[in-house]
Amino acid sequence: MLDLSQQTLHELEAKCIKEQPPAAMAACPLHVDCRGICSTIAAADFNTARELFEKSSVFPKITSCLCEGPCQNACLRHPLGGALHLQQLEMAAVTYGTLRPKRQFLPKKAEKIAVIGAGLTGLSAALELGKKGYAVAVFEEAPLPGGWLLNNRKLPASILEEELKKLSQYKIEIHTCHKVTSIEAFKKEFQSIFIAWVKKETPISVHPLTRFWKDSVFAGGDAIRSEHGSVPESIADGKSSAISIDRFLKKVSLEAGREDEFSSCTNLHVKTEKTPPLSSKIIHPDSLLTKEEAIEEAERCLLCTCTDCIEACTFMKNYKSYPKKYLREIYNNLAIAMGTRHANKMINSCSLCGQCASVCPHGLDLGEVIQEARNIMVSKRKMPASAFDFALKDMAFSNSEECFLAKNAPLIIALSSKTNY
């Protein structure tokens, strides 16, 4: 007998890899939704593509100009005509897409946070903390904020200026020409400190996930690396540190639910054996694509996902979902809905053929779960022993001695051709 407890449910859910990220998305430190961006651009929906990109990147225009493209080698299209030019698709998204204005309601927070270093990591952390309602003071030794971005020839000065204007929308102050020699003085005025730049021969050793250093101090970016980090790594450090600082000030767990934040692994199983090669038509990999070129390039995306069981099972095709969602629905029907039979039709429709388990890369047997769910519902008298219980009982009665059929004599009406109406 299968124990359908919450723990068992989580163990079974872990076998379903449908929600695992594509390889290219996992390889990106920002976990940019490359599949979503490609699918929306292929549908000529640049607005949604831009929204998806901006959810991941704090400074999307800087990212689309300078990203080193860690997703390229991981893209499954790589050996089948060449990896997608995702950086150019991101640039097309921010160029042709328009964001709908949203009203912002910032929570009022009394805590003040100091950020040391106005490079990409420090500015990313400051912007994320500003969005959360904190008052942030950024201290930079140089005359201008931006760090190495100021000297990068690939980044137009107009884009850097436009991106930095976002900081003025929040309670963020930038103090340039301010050399920080000690952080002890900051602890009296600020409730938390984030070090994003420091001249040290030895990088600061921090918690690998939370970026916590000591006391109320966190560190990221070049402060924790011996070499200069990539663009997505720098922004990801700032975003992650902002989450940690926010949790620290709220006095909640710094680690809970963040296990995959920096993970570059995925278990997603994607069939490519029968996928024909399709080469890109992009000639100039550094130029801005036209809308038509972007759409054509996005159409090359394999839209990586695992559909082995769905393709093999008529039941799953009919209910248009996948095992992980079915498992949640079954559990909710048993534990939360308490037998009001929200999912009974779906549960009773499975033929228990075992096809799903035979094709699943991890052997997840949805039929086994459905069979046990039926047993539980029947034992609680919330479901008949068979979905066809009435039909079976009617057939048994009709074949018993208690049943007989009576048929009236046929009524014959002779009509004459001379009948008067």
Side-chain angles (χ1 to χ4, degrees), residues 14-276:
K15 290 185 175 183
C16 181
I17 55 177
K18 181 74 164 61
E19 294 179 3
Q20 285 281 309
M25 182 177 176
C28 174
L30 290 172
H31 296 318
V32 172
D33 185 1
C34 50
R35 179 176 57 196
I37 291 173
C38 286
S39 64
T40 50
I41 289 181
D45 185 0
F46 289 90
N47 294 345
T48 303
R50 180 171 179 177
E51 288 180 6
L52 290 173
F53 185 40
E54 299 226 356
K55 282 182 181 179
S56 302
S57 178
V58 179
F59 297 113
K61 291 192 175 182
I62 291 176
T63 306
S64 65
C65 281
L66 303 180
C67 182
E68 294 84 353
C71 56
Q72 292 294 106
N73 290 333
C75 178
L76 295 189
R77 177 56 84 175
H78 193 283
L80 298 169
L84 270 80
H85 293 270
L86 290 169
Q87 182 184 353
Q88 286 182 278
L89 292 177
E90 292 165 355
M91 188 179 296
V94 297
T95 302
Y96 304 124
T98 303
L99 293 178
R100 290 170 291 185
K102 297 180 181 178
R103 296 181 65 183
Q104 296 189 52
F105 299 93
L106 296 179
K108 294 182 179 180
K109 296 181 179 176
E111 296 91 348
K112 297 175 65 179
I113 302 165
V115 174
I116 301 173
L120 191 53
T121 299
L123 293 175
S124 298
L127 185 54
E128 290 292 279
L129 290 166
K131 291 178 180 178
K132 297 178 186 296
Y134 292 104
V136 183
V138 182
F139 299 92
E140 170 58 45
E141 184 178 352
L144 294 171
W148 63 271
L149 296 174
L150 294 167
N151 301 319
N152 195 296
R153 295 180 179 180
K154 290 185 177 181
L155 182 67
S158 58
I159 288 182
L160 177 59
E161 183 180 356
E162 180 184 351
E163 294 280 61
L164 293 183
K165 282 182 180 179
K166 295 178 180 179
L167 299 165
S168 62
Q169 302 174 31
Y170 307 97
K171 294 186 292 183
I172 301 174
E173 297 178 353
I174 299 180
H175 305 275
T176 54
C177 299
H178 191 115
K179 185 176 182 178
V180 178
T181 56
S182 172
I183 63 172
E184 293 302 317
F186 286 91
K187 293 181 178 180
K188 296 179 180 179
E189 183 181 356
F190 300 97
Q191 283 67 54
S192 186
I193 301 168
F194 178 56
I195 302 176
W197 178 86
V198 64
K199 285 186 176 180
K200 288 177 71 74
E201 293 183 3
T202 304
I204 297 175
S205 179
V206 297
H207 189 283
L209 175 59
T210 66
R211 300 309 195 236
F212 177 76
W213 183 28
K214 62 181 181 179
D215 301 329
S216 59
V217 184
F218 296 77
D222 290 348
I224 65 172
R225 291 189 175 88
S226 57
E227 297 181 358
H228 184 62
S230 66
V231 169
E233 283 176 334
S234 300
I235 296 177
D237 263 0
K239 289 181 62 178
S240 180
S241 300
I243 293 172
S244 295
I245 292 171
D246 180 45
R247 290 192 177 194
F248 172 79
L249 295 175
K250 289 178 177 177
K251 295 180 172 58
V252 298
S253 171
L254 300 185
E255 300 179 44
R258 303 177 66 184
E259 296 81 8
D260 298 328
E261 200 163 298
F262 287 104
S263 174
S264 59
C265 301
T266 180
N267 293 323
L268 189 66
H269 178 258
V270 184
K271 288 183 177 180
T272 59
E273 296 85 359
K274 297 181 180 180
T275 303

Side-chain angles (χ1 to χ4, degrees), residues 302-314:
L302 299 176
L303 301 178
C304 298
T305 187
C306 181
T307 59
D308 291 8
C309 60
I310 298 173
E311 293 174 358
C313 179
T314 304

